[in-house]
Amino acid sequence: MLVPQRIKKIANVAEKQIGSHVTDAKKFMFTVGRRTVTSITTTSNKAQTSTETKTILHPSNEGSLMANTLLWAHLIPPMPVIVSTMYRHYAKGPPAKSWSLTTDITIAVIRDFLNRSSKITVEDIQRISSSKKLPIPSSIKRRKFTVPNEYRKRAGALIAKLFTKKDEERIGWNWEKDRENAPPIKGEWLQQKGNPLDPSKESTVLYLHGGAYYLGCYGMYRQFLCRIIKLTKCRTCAIDYRLAPQHPFPAALEDALATYLYMIDPPKDNDIHPIDPKKIVISGDSAGGGLTFALLIAIRDSGLPAPAGAMTLSPWLDLTHSLPSITSNIMTDYLPPTGFKHAPSPALDYAQLPAREENLEMLEQAKAEAEATTDLNGNLKEPSRDCETYLRRSSIGPFGECVPVPSINGDDIYRIQFYAANEALKVPTVSPVFDRGHLRGLPPMLVQCGTAERLRDESIYATLLATDMSPNADEKTAALGKPTHVTLEMYTDQPHVFQLFFSNKSVSRAVKNLSAFVHEVTNSPAPFKDKNNSRTKYVSNEILTVKNISPSGKTTDIKEDMLQKFTKEEWEEWEKRLVRPSIKHRMDEVTSAYDHILKEHEPHAH
């Protein structure tokens, strides 16, 4: 079989990654905790590579370039993944009609990588995702910065006012204490060299990276952000916010809001000019897209000056996994069917998080009850309900295994998200689709998603909710608040956050549209050229705009068609799915759907 050059490159990644560091080496091992790891033997001519497994009895906590390189190599997919994908692509066709072989293989590789990463710890995968920072083009200048911790305190004070007492109970940890020992908020400014614009007139993009709230760093987005800088002459500000599970909700939101406050009201004793909010666009992908929505909600409800606009790429808006595309698009996306999982490690022991004062009192009560196990009549006492509430914080058993956590509705189910406890998943700034303000009164937004991705329906639901254009819109829904202007762009056959993984006409169109949005909503004086004169106008009187972008890059207005086909019955069904109290029911539904799909795709015996 002839193997295309691109596939040969994929197959040779492991050799290239390892070769520059271990040429003429015999055997190497890397530390991933007290577990089985892979050592690699390499010859000087790179002709042979073999693997064997060993167990490290005395693991080291030290990381190194060698360790990270070998850990990456351990996660590179074996050749059978590529070969089987090639066979299936030509024998049965791709999962999505327009996918090229390259797209099909890329998604298979990403899916396999995520599956393999489930066998290592959160700490390991975090180290991998933060160690790979992309280079900065020579035409771009960079300036690093650190947000003073005082801004975290200001942001935290505003966020605390947004939570009800019930919200705080559901969040379940002393998040305000976490900032005392947390690493500082670090980030970088990127700007084109020789930019002639006055800083006060420049458009600025505050970018919040994705990664399911527990992975990633701003350095991975440099090439993507530089494309927007090149088209718009804007500046970008990207940060590394605190990651779960070591720093769960609302740590990331506090860091995002702190950075926004730092931008619009910098320290007086610093040579930094404040940025006019009307020149700022907040943006993010996946979890960063959900964080963008959450930040907008916090800005709105705190009465802060709103930014000029916001743009999100495949935003993660519903952490309860309630809407239909979560199951219907399993085979056309690379996201893990039943969520992200990793080997047991200290990071997953949520009981180590700073406890709320109320919980500390419950712990003292639990200790007292344990010491006095009988009442005056000599009967055993039952622990109080408050004591049981505190014990729900435990997540790791005595043998390093996850244990079921009772939810507030009586379900026994593992915690399904690193970012927030099951009972907190419907807090509006965790899952913005549950916003008590119905996503109204927000600045103009551009929402991009792929029709083949599992989070597609979240973008559709949030768009119709925010614009008050749902099938059941009436006087009552109109009274919920001023509609938000939203442009929804749906890219045919594209998976989750396709803008960052591929190089095709859909990606090119998406990046140009993002750049045009920044240029228009900030009223930038910089020139902006786009050969496609039919591109969407983002500043208009239209509350809702819906566009479909074909694989060839052709743009079609589908607003009326979508509103006509989206029935009131379907909308009500979506809302019923969202209000279901049981997290376990949702996860059982996803598991059942995935099992059914696997059975359908099993080769039939002859």
Side-chain angles (χ1 to χ4, degrees):
M1 180 185 292
L2 294 176
V3 182
Q5 190 65 31
R6 279 193 170 187
I7 299 175
K8 288 182 179 179
K9 289 182 179 179
I10 295 174
N12 291 331
V13 167
E15 183 180 359
K16 291 183 179 179
Q17 287 282 342
I18 298 170
S20 61
H21 300 295
V22 298
T23 302
D24 298 319
K26 292 294 182 182
K27 193 173 295 181
F28 293 89
M29 291 187 295
F30 56 93
T31 301
V32 291
R34 190 181 178 121
R35 294 176 297 104
T36 301
V37 295
T38 301
S39 64
I40 298 177
T41 302
T42 310
T43 60
S44 58
N45 62 6
K46 302 180 184 178
Q48 295 179 341
T49 300
S50 62
T51 64
E52 58 180 316
T53 60
K54 290 186 179 293
T55 300
I56 295 179
L57 298 178
H58 302 286
S60 168
N61 293 325
E62 296 179 0
S64 66
L65 178 61
M66 175 69 72
N68 288 335
T69 301
L70 294 178
L71 190 53
W72 270 104
H74 179 66
L75 294 173
I76 290 173
M79 198 62 186
V81 171
I82 299 171
V83 174
S84 63
T85 302
M86 292 175 61
Y87 172 78
R88 193 254 306 135
H89 182 90
Y90 288 114
K92 301 180 180 180
K97 185 177 179 180
S98 68
W99 285 4
S100 65
L101 176 61
T102 301
T103 299
D104 207 351
I105 289 176
T106 300
I107 290 174
V109 167
I110 298 172
R111 186 183 290 129
D112 184 80
F113 175 90
L114 294 175
N115 179 57
R116 285 166 171 265
S117 71
S118 67
K119 297 176 177 62
I120 65 176
T121 67
V122 166
E123 294 91 334
D124 290 332
I125 197 68
Q126 286 177 335
R127 186 166 66 250
I128 288 176
S129 68
S130 62
S131 66
K132 296 296 180 183
K133 291 182 171 63
L134 296 177
I136 300 172
S138 59
S139 61
I140 299 295
K141 61 181 179 181
R142 174 186 66 164
R143 179 169 63 84
K144 294 183 178 181
F145 69 91
T146 300
V147 178
N149 210 45
E150 179 62 31
Y151 285 89
R152 270 184 176 153
K153 296 178 182 177
R154 288 174 56 183
L158 293 172
I159 291 171
K161 295 178 181 178
L162 307 182
F163 296 143
T164 65
K165 185 177 180 180
K166 184 61 70 175
D167 288 340
E168 288 283 9
E169 291 176 2
R170 288 170 173 167
I171 292 169
W173 70 293
N174 191 346
W175 57 273
E176 293 176 282
K177 187 177 180 180
D178 183 61
R179 72 174 76 99
E180 297 175 6
N181 300 312
I185 306 170
K186 293 187 177 182
E188 68 179 13
W189 290 94
L190 295 179
Q191 182 180 16
Q192 195 165 24
K193 292 180 178 178
N195 196 335
L197 289 180
D198 185 317
S200 64
K201 296 181 180 179
E202 276 186 317
S203 305
T204 301
V205 175
L206 169 57
Y207 199 84
L208 305 171
H209 69 76
Y213 292 109
Y214 81 103
L215 297 174
C217 65
Y218 64 73
M220 298 173 65
Y221 290 79
R222 287 170 174 165
Q223 299 293 325
F224 171 73
L225 293 176
C226 286
R227 294 181 68 181
I228 295 177
I229 292 172
K230 182 178 179 180
L231 288 169
T232 64
K233 305 298 187 290
C234 71
R235 294 182 295 174
T236 64
C237 170
I239 63 166
D240 281 345
Y241 52 82
R242 282 171 287 172
L243 299 175
Q246 298 94 327
H247 308 279
F249 175 84
L253 176 59
E254 184 179 73
D255 288 357
L257 182 56
T259 306
Y260 184 73
L261 293 171
Y262 174 75
M263 294 171 69
I264 66 175
D265 184 25
K268 300 295 187 291
D269 58 348
N270 205 322
D271 188 25
I272 302 176
H273 298 287
I275 302 174
D276 181 355
K278 295 305 178 186
K279 304 298 289 184
I280 298 175
V281 172
I282 302 174
S283 182
D285 64 286
S286 192
L291 187 55
T292 296
F293 270 83
L295 178 55
L296 294 178
I297 292 171
I299 291 171
R300 179 198 66 194
D301 293 351
S302 298
L304 295 171
M311 52 192 193
T312 58
L313 293 64
S314 302
W316 192 17
L317 303 174
D318 172 28
L319 274 67
T320 68
H321 300 313
S322 295
L323 298 176
S325 61
I326 281 291
T327 56
S328 64
N329 284 354
I330 285 178
M331 297 306 293
T332 53
D333 206 353
Y334 55 79
L335 293 178
T338 56
F340 295 93
K341 298 182 179 70
H342 289 284
S345 70
L348 298 181
D349 192 353
Y350 301 98
Q352 296 187 71
L353 296 172
R356 298 170 64 231
E357 293 298 326
E358 295 87 342
N359 287 346
L360 288 174
E361 293 174 5
M362 294 176 196
L363 180 58
E364 291 301 320
Q365 179 182 344
K367 289 180 179 178
E369 290 180 2
E371 293 172 357
T373 56
T374 60
D375 58 21
L376 295 176
N377 298 320
N379 298 318
L380 289 175
K381 286 184 176 180
E382 292 184 3
S384 68
R385 288 185 177 275
D386 287 342
C387 174
E388 291 175 356
T389 300
Y390 175 78
L391 293 176
R392 282 209 304 267
R393 300 183 71 246
S394 299
S395 59
I396 297 294
F399 302 104
E401 297 295 332
C402 295
V403 297
V405 179
S407 66
I408 55 176
N409 62 8
D411 285 334
D412 284 343
I413 185 173
Y414 302 111
R415 176 168 172 151
I416 68 168
Q417 307 293 2
F418 296 133
Y419 188 50
N422 292 350
E423 53 266 34
L425 296 181
K426 289 187 179 182
V427 172
T429 40
V430 175
S431 296
V433 292
F434 297 103
D435 177 32
R436 298 179 183 110
H438 302 270
L439 301 177
R440 308 291 174 82
L442 303 179
M445 301 193 71
L446 168 60
V447 178
Q448 294 184 342
C449 69
T451 63
E453 71 166 298
R454 298 183 67 198
L455 306 189
R456 178 198 64 201
D457 291 348
E458 297 173 26
S459 291
I460 296 173
Y461 180 85
T463 295
L464 297 180
L465 184 69
T467 57
D468 192 29
M469 297 293 283
S470 68
N472 71 341
D474 55 22
E475 294 180 359
K476 290 183 179 179
T477 60
L480 296 175
K482 181 182 178 182
T484 299
H485 288 251
V486 182
T487 297
L488 174 63
E489 294 182 348
M490 303 175 67
Y491 290 75
T492 300
D493 289 348
Q494 298 304 312
H496 187 61
V497 196
F498 63 94
Q499 301 92 331
L500 302 175
F501 290 105
F502 304 100
S503 178
N504 54 40
K505 292 182 178 179
S506 292
V507 172
S508 177
R509 184 73 265 151
V511 173
K512 288 178 180 177
N513 287 358
L514 292 167
S515 302
F517 180 84
V518 172
H519 187 268
E520 287 188 33
V521 299
T522 60
N523 194 26
S524 173
F528 183 85
K529 295 181 180 180
D530 186 352
K531 295 180 181 179
N532 183 4
N533 295 322
S534 62
R535 66 176 174 83
T536 302
K537 301 297 181 183
Y538 296 103
V539 177
S540 69
N541 294 325
E542 290 288 330
I543 297 294
L544 171 64
T545 302
V546 184
K547 301 288 186 179
N548 173 263
I549 292 81
S550 71
S552 65
K554 180 181 178 182
T555 301
T556 306
D557 190 324
I558 61 169
K559 171 185 170 182
E560 297 303 325
D561 185 55
M562 188 183 82
L563 294 179
Q564 184 176 2
K565 291 181 178 179
F566 204 133
T567 66
K568 188 173 182 179
E569 291 73 22
E570 186 176 6
W571 179 262
E572 290 175 349
E573 175 60 25
W574 280 23
E575 295 205 310
K576 286 179 182 178
R577 295 173 67 93
L578 285 165
V579 300
R580 288 178 300 176
S582 174
I583 297 297
K584 185 176 185 299
H585 183 272
R586 290 169 168 83
M587 297 309 296
D588 288 345
E589 183 181 66
V590 173
T591 301
S592 176
Y594 184 54
D595 289 343
H596 180 70
I597 290 171
L598 290 180
K599 289 180 180 179
E600 285 186 338
H601 287 78
E602 283 180 356
H604 297 288
H606 295 286

